[in-house]
Amino acid sequence: MSSSGADTQTQSDLDAEIAELSSAIARDPGDAKAHRRRGLLKARCRRYDEALVDLESALKLAPDDGHAYGLRALVWEKKGERDRALHDFDEAIRLAPHDAILFRSHRDRVLSEGRSGPIAGGDFNLLKNPFVLLGLSPDADPATVKEAYEDAVEDEADEPDALMRAQQTLLTPRLRIEAEVGGFLDVDPGVATEIVSDIRTGRPIGEIKDGLTRLHSLPRSNVIAHYGSAGPLGLDHLRDLIAAQAAVAPGAVCDAINDVRQEIALGRVDRDVVSDALSKLLDRQTKAVIEALGIGDKAVALFDLFVSRIVAGGDSAALFRLDVYVSMFRQAVASELSKRREAVVAACDEIRRNPKPDAAYRKLDKAVRFWMALVRPVQTYENHRQREDAATREMYGTVRQLALDLSNEQREFEGAEKVVAIASGAFGHLPRAADQMSEDTKQLAELRNDKLADELLTPLLQACEQANNSHRTIEGELLKGGFGRGSVGSVRSIFDKFAAAVDATSKLPFSDAPWRLVRSIAISLNNDSSSPQAADRIIQGLLDHAAHRAPSPDMLAMLREDQRAARKILVENDLTKNLKAQKWKDTEQLAERLLTLETDEENLSAVRTIRDAAAAKRKANTRVMWFWGIVVVGGGLWAILANGGGTSGSQTTQYRPPPSYSNTQTWPQTPAPSQTTAPPPQRVEIVDTREALPSVGTGLALTRANIRYCAFQRVRIEAARPLIQAGVQGQRFSTVVDDYNARCSDYRFRQSDKDAVDTELIGKRYSLESEGRALAASWRPSGTPATRR
């Protein structure tokens, strides 16, 4: 079936040659080759019936001419006689085995017309490999290549340009290597022919499993990639492909090529050249398979599962190839990923414009998840490499910035919390992001509570500040009507605001704040205006209110301790008066009552001494000088009460919170009497004895209550620091820090007291931090809440 330049013949050329052949046949009717040639030319002129006559004549003259059977099969195919065409192709294959690959390819094409068609391949098409296209094995020499090209042209095996390129590739040693690695190198020709036949007849990859097992890694990867380029591969075949690619050994491939080229005297190839050709081939396979897989939801989920399985397998060669797969996947989804990102950005902008509707947050959540679904395989791979995908990190930054804008610019803390929740659901797998989002969630909750505290507590806070500036009025009203429903004047207004604040905050983290605000009035009345009786009325009113709307157990305990301390002061005052008036019976009774209120063992001992002395004086008429000895003992008691015990076994420690801006909620502080001299009895503070303000100075011996103040106040200051802004708020904060440093920077203490306070601090840290944030909020000018980033 050979001719010279037949593919370029014009109609006039064909007619002229047919005329010449007719003259030759007239001279020699027994020339079988002339009949065969004229039949071929008439077929090219679409004179199929006339072509059949010539080809049948040729076969009568030469019954074993396989080429004539092959040509007649092609004519039968053109006429639509499928069965006759298949019969003649079978005869051609039997009679011309050296051209069997070409005849079989034609036969398979005819068969495929009655099926689903050939597996045509996509960007990686094994049927376009020059060896496969021309029906040659990898050991074809240049002469065989030229003859196969001419036959393929005559048989119209493909477009003329494609056939010409195939010939040129196989005749050029430098180009031929691409065809060698991309075909059936070092494969039995029968196995190769069978697989090509299966591809051309449209057999699915699942039905050629036996053929694939007979191929080594390189041709097996070519066959699987051909199918994967034609349509999406399943998980098993994707894994088979990457396993085959990972098993390709450049050295073995180079040796196989050189063995063939040595036989046909074509010249050896260098291993580096082979390695480069293989790298390009495998990348082209992967790109074609990934593109054919698509970017639909099911395809992406399948690819993510594929990545997970390869990662879990731990094979280093497969993991090396997986990097290429993920890179190709990134390229395949880049355009769609960009579109989905635009949808996320648009949803963020919509929330910025109007952060109220829940529908906007649902839209953002859907857009983020839609974006994440497409990039998840990349994240799976990057997580394995212990890296963060750059695109995912950027998207997380976009969403988190929305939360920051809502919080810091619009004060929409609830909206910011919703955005952080969306981000947590989508980006929780990012190691650094997880910790950051956890902290964001905590801070947003605190900021939202601060804003809520501003709204709920401002009326009460303002009323308490006014009360602290008008002690005499408040004292008179308290002594007249107490603190409760029966209060009078401004005290009743304070109580109503207090009750409303308690109800509003009962289920909030700062539910103790209203109690602390009112308690601060009692502390101020006692310490600044020497009115423990008025302070006691407030504390009693708070305890009465707690009977039907209780504060936290810690707050309740603090109020009870306040009541004990207040009443102890009142008893001490009366005791002092009776001592001076030498009323021994009353003194004895008051001492007995004081013993029920005192807790310090050394103070208790002093009170017992007073009681016993008063009893003795009542029973016997002793000398006046003896009585004044009792008074001296009493004076010793007050000194002991003021100093909180001895200082034996003391040591020095320091607490120095830096005077920079912080973030807390501290309630009005309680000034305490000096620790250096015995204060007047009416000035003993009623603040919780577990937390007393130390004197200004360094090196002082502090009581447990003083130490408690220093430890607790430090927590409040540190909690307040992040919320402090410049201006009035910053100035007030700096004042508190300076006062703290002046009192708590250097002092001596009993180790047992310090250990006890450290233990207490563990359980109170949360409430102390809440107090610190509340104080910071109380310092802010109206309408300027704190910000965090």
Side-chain angles (χ1 to χ4, degrees):
M1 288 192 342
S2 63
S3 69
S4 57
D7 57 308
T8 61
Q9 286 181 308
T10 64
Q11 186 62 47
S12 59
D13 291 336
L14 290 172
D15 291 341
E17 187 175 353
I18 289 173
E20 291 178 3
L21 289 169
S22 297
S23 298
I25 291 172
R27 291 192 299 272
D28 183 5
D31 188 347
K33 289 185 178 181
H35 282 284
R36 186 183 72 186
R37 178 64 180 172
R38 189 171 69 173
L40 171 62
L41 296 178
K42 287 179 178 180
R44 288 183 178 174
C45 295
R46 293 182 174 80
R47 294 154 59 180
Y48 298 124
D49 290 337
E50 295 178 26
L52 284 174
V53 173
D54 276 330
L55 292 172
E56 288 172 358
S57 297
L59 286 171
K60 288 180 181 178
L61 295 170
D64 295 333
D65 187 351
H67 289 171
Y69 274 106
L71 288 173
R72 192 172 71 171
L74 291 171
V75 175
W76 286 128
E77 179 194 355
K78 296 296 184 181
K79 287 177 67 63
E81 297 285 347
R82 180 172 177 273
D83 291 339
R84 289 183 174 182
L86 293 174
H87 175 270
D88 280 358
F89 277 131
D90 288 339
E91 287 299 307
I93 293 169
R94 182 177 65 82
L95 295 171
H98 57 286
D99 290 322
I101 294 177
L102 182 60
F103 290 135
R104 186 180 293 276
S105 68
H106 285 304
R107 183 182 186 279
D108 293 340
R109 177 168 49 79
V110 173
L111 278 174
S112 68
E113 291 174 357
R115 300 184 181 183
S116 60
I119 306 298
D123 290 343
F124 187 84
N125 193 340
L126 191 58
L127 298 180
K128 296 297 184 180
N129 178 275
F131 288 107
V132 177
L133 187 59
L134 298 180
L136 296 170
S137 61
D139 59 356
D141 58 25
T144 305
V145 171
K146 292 177 181 178
E147 183 179 354
Y149 163 73
E150 293 173 354
D151 290 343
V153 169
E154 288 185 3
D155 297 339
E156 299 179 347
D158 207 321
E159 294 296 325
D161 289 345
L163 296 174
M164 177 63 74
R165 286 194 299 271
Q167 176 188 231
Q168 188 64 34
T169 296
L170 298 184
L171 293 177
T172 306
R174 179 177 56 83
L175 299 177
R176 180 171 173 139
I177 187 172
E178 294 182 5
E180 290 169 324
V181 299
F184 291 91
L185 180 67
D186 199 23
V187 175
D188 180 89
V191 175
T193 300
E194 180 182 337
I195 291 178
V196 171
S197 175
D198 290 337
I199 292 174
R200 285 198 170 110
T201 56
R203 293 187 67 186
I205 190 171
E207 295 181 9
I208 65 168
K209 183 176 180 180
D210 292 340
L212 284 175
T213 59
R214 288 184 285 172
L215 300 176
H216 58 79
S217 56
L218 179 58
R220 185 165 68 251
S221 72
N222 288 329
V223 174
I224 299 175
H226 174 88
Y227 277 92
S229 176
L233 292 177
L235 176 62
D236 290 340
H237 290 120
L238 279 172
R239 296 175 68 183
D240 289 343
L241 175 60
I242 196 171
Q245 292 175 331
V248 172
V253 174
C254 182
D255 291 342
I257 293 174
N258 284 327
D259 289 345
V260 171
R261 290 196 175 195
Q262 186 174 3
E263 292 179 6
I264 60 177
L266 196 60
R268 297 175 61 82
V269 294
D270 183 77
R271 176 168 176 168
D272 290 340
V273 175
V274 173
S275 295
D276 184 61
L278 284 172
S279 179
K280 292 178 179 178
L281 170 75
L282 299 180
D283 286 354
R284 190 158 58 91
Q285 289 177 354
T286 303
K287 184 174 185 292
V289 168
I290 293 298
E291 289 180 348
L293 187 64
I295 58 173
D297 292 343
K298 291 184 178 180
V300 175
L302 172 66
F303 188 68
D304 185 38
L305 180 59
F306 163 72
V307 172
S308 300
R309 293 290 177 83
I310 300 305
V311 165
D315 181 79
S316 58
L319 287 171
F320 178 80
R321 288 301 311 165
L322 184 62
D323 189 80
V324 178
Y325 278 74
V326 174
S327 177
M328 296 298 182
F329 179 80
R330 278 195 179 101
Q331 296 176 22
V333 303
S335 177
E336 177 64 20
L337 203 61
S338 178
K339 293 179 183 178
R340 297 188 184 187
R341 184 184 186 282
E342 291 175 2
V344 174
V345 172
C348 290
D349 291 341
E350 181 178 340
I351 291 174
R352 285 189 179 92
R353 290 191 297 269
N354 185 5
K356 298 299 184 183
D358 287 337
Y361 296 95
R362 290 195 295 270
K363 184 176 181 181
L364 174 63
D365 186 39
K366 182 178 180 181
V368 170
R369 292 182 183 280
F370 193 48
W371 186 91
M372 289 290 293
L374 193 56
V375 80
R376 193 165 301 282
V378 178
Q379 296 169 355
T380 299
Y381 177 69
E382 294 297 345
N383 287 346
H384 160 70
R385 299 293 299 272
Q386 297 182 340
R387 302 182 307 200
E388 289 185 350
D389 173 50
T392 305
R393 166 57 66 172
E394 181 183 0
M395 179 57 73
Y396 163 66
T398 298
V399 176
R400 182 172 185 265
Q401 186 60 49
L402 172 62
L404 293 175
D405 292 344
L406 291 176
S407 170
N408 297 331
E409 296 178 11
Q410 301 189 39
R411 315 309 297 164
E412 290 288 346
F413 300 121
E414 290 186 14
E417 285 182 294
K418 293 177 184 178
V419 173
V420 171
I422 291 171
S424 297
F427 305 103
H429 62 284
L430 298 178
R432 289 181 295 163
D435 293 339
Q436 193 171 48
M437 285 184 290
S438 176
E439 181 62 24
D440 286 347
T441 300
K442 179 182 177 182
Q443 290 188 356
L444 284 170
E446 292 171 354
L447 288 171
R448 179 166 55 83
N449 288 334
D450 289 346
K451 180 182 178 183
L452 193 57
D454 283 344
E455 297 171 356
L456 299 178
L457 298 178
T458 294
L460 177 61
L461 177 62
Q462 292 173 346
C464 291
E465 289 178 346
Q466 291 174 1
N468 285 327
N469 293 325
S470 54
H471 279 180
R472 291 309 170 202
T473 300
I474 294 295
E475 181 180 358
E477 292 173 347
L478 284 168
L479 295 178
K480 183 178 181 180
F483 184 74
R485 299 291 179 188
S487 298
V488 297
S490 58
V491 173
R492 177 56 191 264
S493 176
I494 294 173
F495 176 80
D496 290 342
K497 291 181 174 61
F498 161 75
V502 167
D503 291 341
T505 61
S506 62
K507 296 182 180 180
L508 298 175
F510 49 90
S511 59
D512 279 348
W515 303 83
R516 292 185 183 278
L517 282 171
V518 175
R519 177 176 176 265
S520 70
I521 301 176
I523 294 172
S524 182
L525 283 168
N526 178 77
N527 294 337
D528 296 339
S529 296
S530 302
S531 183
Q533 188 174 7
D536 181 57
R537 294 293 180 91
I538 291 180
I539 299 302
Q540 183 60 56
L542 291 175
L543 287 170
D544 291 342
H545 195 76
H548 63 87
R549 176 72 81 176
S552 70
D554 285 345
M555 173 54 65
L556 192 58
M558 188 181 297
L559 292 173
R560 287 171 177 162
E561 180 62 20
D562 285 345
Q563 185 179 59
R564 183 195 66 79
R567 293 180 176 178
K568 187 181 79 166
I569 290 173
L570 293 173
V571 172
E572 288 171 344
N573 288 342
D574 290 342
L575 179 62
T576 300
K577 292 175 184 177
N578 281 278
L579 275 171
K580 291 181 178 179
Q582 302 182 19
K583 296 179 179 180
W584 309 121
K585 183 178 180 180
D586 292 341
T587 299
E588 182 182 1
Q589 292 174 347
L590 288 169
E592 286 287 355
R593 187 177 177 188
L594 187 58
L595 287 173
T596 66
L597 298 172
E598 184 59 76
T599 58
D600 185 85
E601 188 58 42
E602 293 186 30
N603 291 346
L604 286 170
S605 177
V607 174
R608 292 189 191 99
T609 300
I610 293 175
R611 180 199 61 187
D612 295 343
K617 186 63 178 176
R618 178 176 57 81
K619 294 176 181 178
N621 226 350
T622 58
R623 293 177 296 123
V624 175
M625 290 302 296
W626 188 88
F627 164 73
W628 286 112
I630 297 175
V631 175
V632 172
V633 173
L637 167 65
W638 304 128
I640 292 171
L641 290 174
N643 288 284
T647 60
S648 62
S650 63
Q651 60 187 61
T652 302
T653 186
Q654 292 186 348
Y655 295 91
R656 293 187 178 180
S660 57
Y661 292 123
S662 262
N663 170 348
T664 24
Q665 210 164 294
T666 310
W667 301 106
Q669 299 176 20
T670 307
S674 171
Q675 301 292 314
T676 56
T677 60
Q682 69 272 20
R683 293 291 292 162
V684 178
E685 65 172 329
I686 68 163
V687 66
D688 176 14
T689 56
R690 293 176 299 169
E691 187 176 349
L693 199 69
S695 296
V696 173
T698 59
L700 301 177
L702 301 192
T703 65
R704 180 178 298 185
N706 297 145
I707 297 171
R708 190 175 289 109
Y709 168 83
C710 291
F712 289 7
Q713 186 72 346
R714 176 182 175 84
V715 175
R716 296 185 187 108
I717 288 173
E718 291 305 319
R721 189 182 306 280
L723 294 180
I724 300 302
Q725 297 178 335
V728 175
Q729 190 184 27
Q731 294 171 1
R732 297 189 68 175
F733 177 71
S734 295
T735 299
V736 170
V737 172
D738 291 343
D739 181 75
Y740 175 85
N741 288 335
R743 300 177 188 277
C744 300
S745 63
D746 187 300
Y747 58 83
R748 293 179 295 118
F749 55 84
R750 288 179 178 175
Q751 188 60 49
S752 59
D753 290 340
K754 181 65 168 57
D755 293 341
V757 171
D758 289 344
T759 301
E760 295 169 9
L761 186 59
I762 296 174
K764 292 185 63 67
R765 181 171 294 276
Y766 179 80
S767 62
L768 292 171
E769 289 176 346
S770 296
E771 292 174 19
R773 288 190 293 273
L775 183 61
S778 71
W779 290 334
R780 290 200 298 268
S782 177
T784 57
T787 61
R788 291 189 187 183
R789 280 190 180 267

